[in-house]
Amino acid sequence: MIRSLAAVFACAAIFAQPVSAEVVATGDSSFVTRDTAVVSADTKAVWLALISPGRWWNSAHTWSGDAANLTLTPQAGGCFCETIPEDPSNDRVTLEGSVEHMRVIQAFPEKVLRMRGGLGPLQSEAATGVLTIVMSEVDEGTLIVWEYAVGGPMRYETPVISRAVDGVMSQQLGGLADLLGRVDAPRARPAEPDADGADSAPEASVEDAIDAMGRGE
């Protein structure tokens, strides 16, 4: 796992993916990052890939150096965890270890995955974060909105750590989007009149997905 803020910035710059990313709020000891991507897969395929982080998480952001050691149990109380295997090539005895990255607090298949925990350099701080990932159907496939809200005491300047964390979050969503088939930003579906002549509602937008986060949907 990257252990210094400078290394976080360097790695994010090298591997950053062109998803829509932004630090949307900051406070004295809090910040919120939001990243979005559209993929050609349906919500079921997105969900199944999402709960298999070893397929898309960047190995540079693991403690073991290999994303294949990551697991995610998609149920309340489930662990987004990592196994650190024994190293037989080491001259001294190195026993197997493990890391808890986050804990699942909501698992709503094909709709919302919400987890709590401090990722990366935040793990050593008193601050914690809530990662909410929302999936919504759009014409092109699925819109994924990935929001990480962090708050609490930390030994980093908020403007600095928020940008670094947003870069890493963009990188992880980028890996998921690449696996599933990234497409351009969603096009709004033209409203179609219903039987009474009224316009039907368009498909989900980023705003819809964000509203759903607030309602716990």
Side-chain angles (χ1 to χ4, degrees):
M1 174 65 71
I2 291 174
R3 292 173 172 79
S4 72
L5 196 55
V8 170
F9 270 125
C11 194
I14 294 171
F15 294 102
Q17 302 291 335
V19 299
S20 173
E22 184 180 7
V23 178
V24 296
T26 58
D28 291 340
S29 58
S30 64
F31 62 88
V32 180
T33 72
R34 184 178 299 144
D35 304 88
T36 63
V38 179
V39 297
S40 58
D42 62 21
T43 55
K44 182 176 182 179
V46 172
W47 177 262
L48 292 175
L50 179 62
I51 62 175
S52 302
R55 298 174 60 195
W56 50 269
W57 194 270
N58 192 311
S59 293
H61 294 283
T62 64
W63 293 93
S64 64
D66 188 351
N69 295 318
L70 295 170
T71 58
L72 197 164
T73 304
Q75 63 184 38
C79 187
F80 172 26
C81 286
E82 178 181 354
T83 298
I84 302 176
E86 294 183 31
D87 184 1
S89 66
N90 201 314
D91 292 336
R92 58 188 177 81
V93 177
T94 302
L95 301 178
E96 182 176 282
S98 62
V99 181
E100 177 180 310
H101 291 281
M102 307 192 91
R103 182 68 57 174
V104 176
I105 55 178
Q106 184 182 22
F108 195 149
E110 302 185 48
K111 293 186 181 294
V112 179
L113 178 66
R114 181 173 286 125
M115 300 183 287
R116 184 185 302 277
L119 292 169
L122 296 173
Q123 189 180 70
S124 63
E125 304 304 302
T128 190
V130 175
L131 175 63
T132 301
I133 303 170
V134 175
M135 292 141 275
S136 304
E137 292 182 2
V138 292
D139 285 341
E140 292 81 356
T142 302
L143 166 67
I144 306 170
V145 179
W146 180 299
E147 187 176 88
Y148 191 35
V150 175
M154 56 185 132
R155 293 167 291 181
Y156 296 110
E157 295 181 2
T158 302
V160 177
I161 188 65
S162 62
R163 286 169 42 223
V165 169
D166 186 49
V168 174
M169 293 294 93
S170 300
Q171 185 181 139
Q172 308 310 335
L173 178 54
L176 178 62
D178 287 341
L179 173 67
L180 293 164
R182 183 199 308 273
V183 297
D184 292 334
R187 299 182 297 274
R189 171 179 287 182
E192 299 176 356
D194 59 23
D196 298 325
D199 289 342
S200 60
E203 289 213 9
S205 65
V206 173
E207 290 74 17
D208 295 331
I210 294 168
D211 288 343
M213 288 181 184
R215 296 193 300 270
E217 296 177 1

